[in-house]
Amino acid sequence: MAGANVWPDTPADFRTACMDYYHAALAVGKKLFCLFALALDLPETYFNDKTVYSAATMRTLHYPPQPDAADDKILGIGAHTDFCFTILWQQTGLEALQVLNSREEWINVPPLPGTLVINLGDQFARWTNDIFKSTVHRAANKNIVDRYSIALFFGTDYEVNIEPIHTCVTAERPAAYPAITAGEYVRQRLKAMYNK
Ligand SMILES: O=C(O)CCC(=O)C(=O)O
Ligand SMILES: [Fe+2]
């Protein structure tokens, strides 16, 4: 689940810029865990010891233009949920990302200058016993220019047990998920995705 990064030779400052952004986005991820802990009536620090060596991978994405493609031919990222928190930067001025709402309708997520999109992901649905949802989303670029986005996937340390938090379990809402370590969870998801 780990490997060396592959860096292009050009542009010269690409690696430094990526790493600067990576560390800034990581700090956002850590703050998110504090905010969600408070929202769950837990101490702000609840996730601190669970996010010491956070599994945090970043994906830089390029979507070529395909304005003339028919809907069933369009390439992009198909409908899916993310494993863990996603901190997504999207290029401004282009619409491509959509989320599925509770009425099963696809809603555009237009990039707003100076904002990030935060997706809670499946691990947080497990932590919260489905009180918080992991949003189904997809992205395709039907514009006439290239589109770029950057997704940082931020989860707990791999050895942490993910299980419904006590404040999210009641007699009416019994625990819907067994405990599983974050590492084993990611391993199973990757196996299901790439090892069919
Ligand atoms: O590019 C986007 O807007 C979405 C990317 C995404 O959903 C992903 O990488 O999991
Ligand atoms: Fe995603």
Side-chain angles (χ1 to χ4, degrees), residues 18-194:
C18 273
M19 290 313 292
D20 285 352
Y21 176 80
Y22 176 80
H23 288 293
L26 217 60
V28 174
K30 286 200 189 261
K31 282 216 172 71
L32 286 175
F33 270 111
C34 296
L35 292 172
F36 279 99
L38 291 174
L40 293 166
D41 291 329
L42 297 165
E44 184 179 334
T45 54
Y46 182 82
F47 291 103
N48 283 12
D49 64 349
K50 301 171 181 58
T51 50
V52 179
Y53 305 106
S54 264
T57 49
M58 190 167 91
R59 211 187 249 168
T60 50
L61 296 153
H62 170 222
Y63 299 77
Q66 39 187 350
D68 301 325
D71 269 1
D72 56 347
K73 295 264 169 51
I74 204 137
L75 298 177
I77 294 188
H80 68 283
T81 55
D82 296 333
F83 302 172
C84 52
F85 267 132
T86 305
I87 298 158
L88 179 80
W89 173 87
Q90 10 173 20
Q91 176 176 346
T92 46
L94 296 180
E95 285 196 359
L97 177 65
Q98 294 186 313
V99 295
L100 198 62
N101 72 8
S102 53
R103 289 192 298 273
E104 305 275 298
E105 301 156 339
W106 286 106
I107 305 293
N108 287 339
V109 185
L112 303 176
T115 66
L116 297 163
V117 174
I118 307 296
N119 191 7
L120 299 193
D122 301 337
Q123 289 186 358
F124 221 73
R126 292 179 85 103
W127 283 115
T128 64
N129 211 16
D130 286 329
I131 290 176
F132 289 151
K133 307 275 183 254
S134 179
T135 313
V136 178
H137 56 287
R138 66 182 184 187
N141 181 17
K142 299 180 196 173
N143 303 289
I144 55 168
V145 292
D146 295 89
R147 183 225 185 210
Y148 296 90
S149 65
I150 306 175
L152 179 96
F153 303 100
F154 189 82
T156 51
D157 303 354
Y158 278 150
E159 73 274 12
V160 167
N161 247 342
I162 301 176
E163 57 188 326
I165 295 168
H166 63 92
T167 55
C168 302
V169 178
T170 58
E172 298 76 48
R173 183 185 277 274
Y177 301 99
I180 185 170
T181 63
E184 179 55 21
Y185 180 74
V186 172
R187 199 190 63 75
Q188 287 182 10
R189 290 289 298 261
L190 290 174
K191 189 158 182 272
M193 264 168 81
Y194 295 113

